[in-house]
């Protein structure tokens, strides 16, 4: 069975500090991984997809298959980054289901 | 917002009452999903649909049923609401084929309170 673990429920940093939100996964096949962000009382938005190797809003995430991790990083946090972040795994197949981690609430303090 | 709307956006209901939540999409996507979001649990899949009249259970389907009689609408029904079903419910669609990968896009959510 596939599983996504986000070990930190809460993460608090100061503005300008680096931030890393951890995500580990368990899946026997070739995973497709995503980061979603949810700002206060808004819908979830797709932030990053591992296959694109992109940087969005200064965030990057690298898939490490050896460590089964997909950590989200940003070198200099901004107050507007305060939000709930979810890591998600797709096993592909014919139904395109996602398995979500429990989320990490990031607070960036001024 | 991928053309996804949910109604109602907020609802308060009493225990034992049937409740139906609606998800509507305007872009003719085949795959639709219902999740519930709870503190400490993240998002959990309730039911999903892979076409008109084609649905299947997710990980927390007990107490919920769904119907999809046309492509654009995916209904979630709580047959007899319980306080444990107080939650925020999100609908999502999947866009396989538009991109290489299977990303999902979410509706604005419905906040349901069962008293």
């Amino acid at each position: 069975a596939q599983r996504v673990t986000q070990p930190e429920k809460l993460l608090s940093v100061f503005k300008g500090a680096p931030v890393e939100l951890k995500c580990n996964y368990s899946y026997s096949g070739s995973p497709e991984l995503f980061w979603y962000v949810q700002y206060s009382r808004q819908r979830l938005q797709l932030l990053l997809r591992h296959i694109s190797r992109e940087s969005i809003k200064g965030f990057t995430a690298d898939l490490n298959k050896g460590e089964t991790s997909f950590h989200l990083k940003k070198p200099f946090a901004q107050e507007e980054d305060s939000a709930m972040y979810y890591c998600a795994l797709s096993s592909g197949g014919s139904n395109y289901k996602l398995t979500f981690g429990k989320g990490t609430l990031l607070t960036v303090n001024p | 917002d991928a053309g996804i709307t949910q109604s109602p956006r907020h609802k308060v209901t009493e225990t034992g009452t049937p409740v139906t939540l609606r998800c509507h999409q305007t872009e003719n996507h085949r795959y639709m999903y219902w999740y519930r979001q709870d503190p400490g649990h993240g998002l959990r899949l309730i039911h999903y649909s892979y076409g008109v009249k084609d649905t299947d259970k997710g990980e927390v389907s007990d107490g919920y049923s769904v119907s999809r009689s046309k492509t654009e609408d995916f209904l979630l029904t709580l047959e007899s609401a319980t306080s444990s079903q107080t939650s925020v419910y999100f609908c999502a669609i999947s866009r396989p084929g538009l991109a290489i990968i299977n990303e999902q896009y979410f509706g604005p959510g419905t906040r349901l309170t069962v008293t």
Side-chain angles (χ1 to χ4, degrees):
Chain A
Q2 58 198 59
R3 183 183 300 171
V4 176
T5 302
Q6 294 180 249
E8 303 138 329
K9 287 186 179 179
L10 304 170
L11 183 62
S12 181
V13 301
F14 286 102
K15 177 182 174 181
V19 62
E20 179 178 70
L21 292 88
K22 292 183 168 54
C23 172
N24 290 92
Y25 66 90
S26 173
Y27 180 59
S28 58
S30 183
E32 296 174 2
L33 286 150
F34 309 84
W35 276 100
Y36 282 83
V37 59
Q38 184 182 30
Y39 301 102
S40 181
R41 298 210 166 210
Q42 295 185 23
R43 71 180 73 196
L44 276 79
Q45 304 172 35
L46 179 64
L47 180 63
L48 283 178
R49 49 181 83 86
H50 89 269
I51 198 167
S52 302
R53 300 185 64 80
E54 59 203 336
S55 174
I56 304 292
K57 300 184 179 183
F59 285 98
T60 59
D62 290 320
L63 176 61
N64 186 324
K65 290 187 177 181
E67 296 183 358
T68 59
S69 67
F70 187 55
H71 303 328
L72 184 67
K73 301 177 183 179
K74 185 170 183 177
F76 307 104
Q78 302 299 315
E79 291 180 67
E80 55 265 31
D81 296 328
S82 295
M84 180 68 85
Y85 291 81
Y86 291 100
C87 183
L89 164 70
S90 173
S91 57
S94 61
N95 53 36
Y96 307 104
K97 291 193 292 183
L98 287 178
T99 299
F100 284 85
K102 295 184 178 181
T104 297
L105 180 61
L106 173 66
T107 302
V108 181
N109 300 297
Chain B
D1 64 3
I4 307 168
T5 57
Q6 293 182 230
S7 59
R9 294 292 314 279
H10 301 271
K11 186 169 183 67
V12 179
T13 192
E14 293 185 348
T15 298
T17 305
V19 177
T20 296
L21 309 182
R22 179 182 183 235
C23 177
H24 180 76
Q25 55 130 335
T26 60
E27 299 184 0
N28 208 34
H29 295 292
R30 180 180 170 192
Y31 295 86
M32 299 183 75
Y33 309 82
W34 275 109
Y35 293 88
R36 58 178 291 174
Q37 183 185 40
D38 304 287
H41 292 278
L43 275 85
R44 294 178 291 175
L45 182 65
I46 306 171
H47 282 279
Y48 65 99
S49 170
Y50 45 96
V52 172
K53 299 193 189 304
D54 292 323
T55 65
D56 205 349
K57 296 178 179 180
E59 63 177 298
V60 289
S61 60
D62 287 348
Y64 302 95
S65 62
V66 290
S67 66
R68 192 160 177 211
S69 59
K70 46 187 179 177
T71 301
E72 58 265 36
D73 288 326
F74 191 31
L75 304 180
L76 177 70
T77 298
L78 289 66
E79 303 290 347
S80 178
T82 67
S83 58
S84 65
Q85 293 176 312
T86 292
S87 186
V88 181
Y89 291 86
F90 285 98
C91 174
I93 61 94
S94 184
R95 286 180 159 177
L98 282 180
I100 302 171
I101 47 175
N102 314 321
E103 52 206 50
Q104 292 185 13
Y105 291 83
F106 286 79
T110 295
R111 187 171 295 274
L112 176 67
T113 302
V114 183
T115 61

